[in-house]
């Protein structure tokens, strides 16, 4: 009887070992404008590589993927700054393309009445990406780097259905990827001023993501008062969303710490 129990005990653990074995995790990636990767093309990804693959649609792909050894040996942030510049230029072009979709939306689009405020916010965020790009270029050239990145291109996925809601969703995806990538890349930057700039930009991208996510999921609905209004008439309203291009003052640019942008008085 005891021998039978022992055999059952051993057999149970062997079965458990076989059951508990799991294959290494894989991330299936669908490139912008391309087909999903096949199984044989997939490779195990670290958290960092997965983040950078997610951000690849913004142009942050291979240039940001560095081994820890390479990072330890390098004191040159040029490649990373160039990758971030490319990402910002792609974001600018993507927002411009999105604005075109909004302009072309038919009056049957469910968000047609609010196309003005959606476009105004898109143009406001686009301008902040212009500010980010300009500051990154200044840092690059000040550090003896050369801006040979070239122009950006709109990152519109294959099969994109042109409507206003999808423009909001596309921007939400892009800003989420940017927020993650800017946060993650700070670990790779060797100069503290470059890391500070990445932090000041990345936290602004996070603000963009939060605003767009709330709209995309229907938690924030534009007031009826703005229905039918043109984007140009709503520019000052849109500017209240993520009111500064950088979270903190940096290299002469104002941040949320601007004394003229005070905290609310909660004692009244």
């Amino acid at each position: 009887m005891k021998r039978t129990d022992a055999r059952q005990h051993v057999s149970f653990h062997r079965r458990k070992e076989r059951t508990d074995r799991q294959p290494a995790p894989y991330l299936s990636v669908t490139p912008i404008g391309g087909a999903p990767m096949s199984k044989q093309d997939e490779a195990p990804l670290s958290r960092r590589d997965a983040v950078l693959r997610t951000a690849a649609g913004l142009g942050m792909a291979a240039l940001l993927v560095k081994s820890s050894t390479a990072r330890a040996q390098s004191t040159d942030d040029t490649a990373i700054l160039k990758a971030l510049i490319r990402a910002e230029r792609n974001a600018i072009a993507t927002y411009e393309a999105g604005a075109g979709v909004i302009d072309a939306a038919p009056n049957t689009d469910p968000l047609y009445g609010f196309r003005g405020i959606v476009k105004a916010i898109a143009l406001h965020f686009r301008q902040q990406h212009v500010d980010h790009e300009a500051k990154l270029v200044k840092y690059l050239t000040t550090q003896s780097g050369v801006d040979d990145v070239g122009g950006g291109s709109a990152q519109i996925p294959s099969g994109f259905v042109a409507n206003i809601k999808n423009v909001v969703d596309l921007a939400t995806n892009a800003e989420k990827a940017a927020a993650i990538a800017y946060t993650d890349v700070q670990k790779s930057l060797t100069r503290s001023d470059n890391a500070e700039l990445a932090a000041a930009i990345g936290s602004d991208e996070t603000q963009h993501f939060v605003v767009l996510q709330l709209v995309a999921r229907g938690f924030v609905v534009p007031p009826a008062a703005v229905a039918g209004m043109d984007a140009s008439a709503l520019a000052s309203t849109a500017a209240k969303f993520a009111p500064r291009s950088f979270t903190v003052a940096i290299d002469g640019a104002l941040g949320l710490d601007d004394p003229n942008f005070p905290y609310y008085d909660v004692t009244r």
Side-chain angles (χ1 to χ4, degrees), residues 9-245:
H9 182 71
V10 171
S11 177
F12 168 79
H13 279 284
R14 285 175 178 168
R15 286 196 302 270
K16 186 175 187 298
E17 288 173 1
R18 288 194 296 270
T19 303
D20 288 348
R21 291 190 189 118
Q22 298 293 335
Y26 289 85
L27 178 68
S28 180
V29 178
T30 302
I32 294 293
M37 295 172 64
S38 63
K39 271 292 180 186
Q40 59 265 32
D41 292 330
E42 293 176 347
L45 296 177
S46 67
R47 174 186 174 276
R48 175 178 176 76
D49 289 345
V51 166
L52 295 172
R53 285 283 189 90
T54 301
L58 289 177
M60 294 184 179
L63 284 177
L64 294 187
V65 181
K66 293 185 175 183
S67 68
S68 58
T69 302
R71 290 199 303 272
Q73 293 175 345
S74 175
T75 58
D76 182 11
D77 292 342
T78 299
I80 293 176
L81 292 175
K82 287 184 178 183
L84 295 174
I85 290 168
R86 178 178 293 106
E88 292 295 343
R89 289 175 180 170
N90 286 350
I92 293 165
T94 301
Y95 270 110
E96 290 170 351
V101 172
I102 295 170
D103 286 340
N107 58 13
T108 54
D109 190 300
L111 292 177
Y112 182 80
F114 296 108
R115 66 193 184 283
I117 187 61
V118 175
K119 182 180 177 182
I121 293 173
L123 293 178
H124 170 54
F125 287 174
R126 174 200 171 278
Q127 180 56 49
Q128 292 195 328
H129 284 290
V130 170
D131 296 341
H132 300 163
E133 182 265 353
K135 195 66 69 179
L136 286 162
V137 169
K138 181 178 179 181
Y139 273 50
L140 172 68
T141 54
T142 299
Q143 296 167 35
S144 301
V146 177
D147 179 9
D148 54 3
V149 174
S153 60
Q155 302 298 297
I156 308 298
S158 177
F160 177 78
V161 176
N163 59 53
I164 298 174
K165 174 63 164 56
N166 280 350
V167 170
V168 175
D169 286 349
L170 178 66
T172 304
N173 292 341
E175 298 291 5
K176 176 183 176 181
I180 294 170
Y182 267 105
T183 300
D184 196 67
V185 79
Q186 291 171 53
K187 296 179 291 187
S188 300
L189 291 164
T190 59
R191 290 179 51 137
S192 60
D193 55 346
N194 291 337
E196 180 187 28
L197 177 60
I201 294 175
S203 46
D204 185 56
E205 314 291 28
T206 301
Q207 293 176 62
H208 293 179
F209 166 67
V210 171
V211 170
L212 292 166
Q213 172 78 349
L214 291 173
V215 174
R217 302 283 72 82
F219 292 116
V220 173
V221 179
V226 303
M229 292 182 65
D230 187 73
S232 60
L234 293 166
S236 60
T237 300
K240 293 180 172 64
F241 296 94
R244 297 289 186 273
S245 296

